[in-house]
Amino acid sequence: MRNPFLAGAAVVMTVAVLAACGSSADGNDPEAAGAQRPAASGPSVPGPSATTPTTPAAPAPPTASATEEPAAPGPSAPAATAEGPKTPSDEITPATGTFTKKQKEYLEDRVPKGMDPAAVLQTGQETCDKLRYLVKADRDTAVGAIATEEIPDAPAAVAGLCPQHQDLVDEAAYAYADGTHTGKTVRPGVYRSASPTTNCSWQIEGAGGKELASGTSDTGKSRKITIPKSAVTFTSTGCYAWLAEGAKG
């Protein structure tokens, strides 16, 4: 479930990136930008009209069937994470300026053939900008955004472009996103919910599906739970993410 705080942050950063779209490709600190969400509006439902005649309209003449040809992808369409041939590292150069050593290391084996490497770099820099914004507003939300992959590819961006946020990535590795976790992925310890919704619920089961603990929360405030060593399955819904108490849970 998308975190409402992060969604609001994305709107703020979308405005910021529009102001920064003239930035050069040399990797100098662009403003934070969030991914635009598709419009929620849809076609309106037609209602009856008082002036509409009751006589049924004549059926349209049949048309010859035709097979639809798929649109051919344009040369600049591939996404930064697209599969396929990558540009060799010695051929990764910006249209203007130069890349730093750190930027070149991040771009290695990440630039699809035919794509501007500056666009791939910009994606990584935007990830760092989002984390910088979130950690100032609410650290738990920043960690949760990495754990839930709501900010995709964060570990790679942090390792290559903003290592000052490595502690967020390390903490997220011990967190639980909403969903069902079983077997070796279930680690005992004390956890707190990060940015839960008002429909947060959880359940812990042991061997044979025996319920060990469960609970709900409609306050939207953080809650703490303990996952025992006997736990086999942990399920969370509407809680966004659970962060381990202590360094490594």
Side-chain angles (χ1 to χ4, degrees), residues 57-151:
T63 56
S65 60
T67 55
E68 239 181 75
E69 291 290 334
S76 60
T81 55
E83 295 297 327
K86 301 295 191 297
T87 303
S89 56
D90 57 350
E91 296 179 16
I92 297 176
T93 55
T96 59
T98 59
F99 289 136
T100 65
K101 181 180 178 181
K102 186 187 297 184
Q103 290 169 341
K104 287 181 179 178
E105 290 174 353
Y106 171 75
L107 291 170
E108 188 173 352
D109 199 35
R110 301 180 68 84
V111 183
K113 278 279 190 180
M115 175 174 270
D116 182 2
V120 180
L121 179 63
Q122 179 68 16
T123 299
Q125 289 173 328
E126 287 173 359
T127 294
C128 289
D129 289 341
K130 292 174 187 176
L131 290 175
R132 182 177 59 196
Y133 174 86
L134 286 175
V135 77
K136 287 181 179 179
D138 185 77
R139 190 180 186 282
D140 279 1
T141 300
V143 176
I146 298 173
T148 60
E149 298 184 357
E150 192 162 358
I151 296 183

Side-chain angles (χ1 to χ4, degrees), residues 29-40:
D29 243 359
E31 291 296 321
Q36 284 188 325
R37 291 160 61 179

